[in-house]
Amino acid sequence: MAIRNCLVTGAGSGIGAAVAELLSGQGHRVALAGRREEPLRELSARLPGPSLVLPTDVTRPEDIESMFAACEESWGPVEVLVHSAGAGDSARLESTTDTMWDRQLELNLTAPFRCVRRAVPAMRKAGFGRIVVVASVASKVGAPYVSAYTAAKHGVLGLVRSAAAELADTGVTVNAVCPGYVDTPMTDRSVASIAAHTGRDADGIRAKLAAAQPIGRLILPGEVAAVIGLLVQEEALNGQSLMVDGGSVQS
């Protein structure tokens, strides 16, 4: 595969950082976007190939525009977009406020929509593009206490499928990966939140999350990145939502 201009959101840690390392290791140029600059700079320093550090809040439309503009100014149009930025809130349905609901849709559905919309014109013109959205097992099944997050993740899967159908004859593919519980800072925050709300032991909570995967452990960020790498390579994979969950949801 030719050397490509790649943009990874949520690159400061977890899945996004693992994806950036994989793509850079394959020789691609990788722009690193995330809210916190320091982790992005630390990641940039250890990547083997060219990189850009782009502090970005993807819930701000002006930040998204600046992020893409910086890539275009330095390297040219974004050819590979991996949207990994996201987070979850946990609450009982009756305790889920409008603010929580709006925040989850803004971050997990509207932000990827805006990024995909911004990336598509140049990809369509070039006759090549790869878009991968990090969704979730919550894109496929519901779970207690995460109604807003689950609604947003179900929605982003609809976005992926519709965009893939629209762009199928242009050389642009759009796919999603749907991880289960991954050993990332996001899972650490989930464990801490559950422990704070329930008084249960954090180690016990983590063990229960690990057991939710049939393989009996948390998924590793590199395992998710490897699947994303496949989606970046293969044009025949389009409109797919690949589960990376150790077999908990057979889809």
Side-chain angles (χ1 to χ4, degrees), residues 139-158:
S139 298
K140 298 292 189 75
V141 296
Y145 313 122
V146 285
S147 57
Y149 178 77
T150 300
K153 290 297 187 178
H154 271 63
V156 84
L157 195 51

Side-chain angles (χ1 to χ4, degrees), residues 6-243:
C6 305
L7 170 60
V8 181
T9 71
S13 65
I15 294 170
V19 170
E21 290 173 339
L22 176 73
L23 294 174
S24 183
Q26 293 174 342
H28 301 298
R29 295 175 285 265
V30 186
L32 311 171
R35 288 182 299 173
R36 296 179 298 132
E37 183 172 354
E38 183 177 353
L40 299 177
R41 294 210 173 276
E42 291 174 355
L43 175 59
S44 176
R46 66 176 186 266
L47 293 182
S51 62
L52 296 174
V53 172
L54 304 175
T56 304
D57 180 349
V58 294
T59 66
R60 295 167 54 89
E62 60 271 28
D63 278 21
I64 290 176
E65 177 56 35
S66 296
M67 174 179 72
F68 276 90
C71 293
E72 291 161 353
E73 182 177 350
S74 297
W75 297 333
V78 172
E79 298 167 290
V80 175
L81 169 65
V82 179
H83 188 89
S84 181
D89 279 338
S90 176
R92 288 179 178 270
L93 182 60
E94 62 270 27
S95 300
T96 300
T97 65
D98 285 358
T99 299
M100 293 172 63
W101 177 268
D102 291 343
R103 182 169 62 239
Q104 287 301 294
L105 265 64
E106 185 73 18
L107 177 58
N108 295 310
L109 179 55
T110 303
F113 160 70
R114 287 172 175 155
C115 288
V116 171
R117 180 178 62 185
R118 180 60 174 78
V120 161
M123 292 181 177
R124 193 194 291 267
K125 182 177 180 180
F128 176 88
R130 297 289 183 266
I131 298 172
V132 184
V133 176
V134 178
S136 169
V137 68
S139 298
K140 298 292 189 75
V141 296
Y145 313 122
V146 285
S147 57
Y149 178 77
T150 300
K153 290 297 187 178
H154 271 63
V156 84
L157 195 51
L159 167 67
V160 164
R161 288 167 170 165
S162 182
E166 182 174 335
L167 298 167
D169 63 349
T170 68
V172 181
T173 66
V174 189
N175 291 286
V177 293
C178 299
Y181 289 105
V182 185
D183 191 6
T184 63
M186 180 175 170
T187 296
D188 294 339
R189 290 190 294 269
S190 296
V191 169
S193 177
I194 294 170
H197 283 90
T198 65
R200 291 160 51 195
D201 175 68
D203 289 340
I205 295 167
R206 179 175 288 275
K208 186 172 182 178
L209 296 182
Q213 277 77 218
I215 57 176
R217 62 170 175 81
L218 297 176
I219 306 301
L220 301 177
E223 292 173 319
V224 184
V227 176
I228 293 172
L230 179 65
L231 294 172
V232 168
Q233 291 176 2
E234 302 297 336
E235 185 177 12
L237 291 169
N238 190 33
Q240 302 305 306
S241 53
L242 300 186
M243 305 303 299

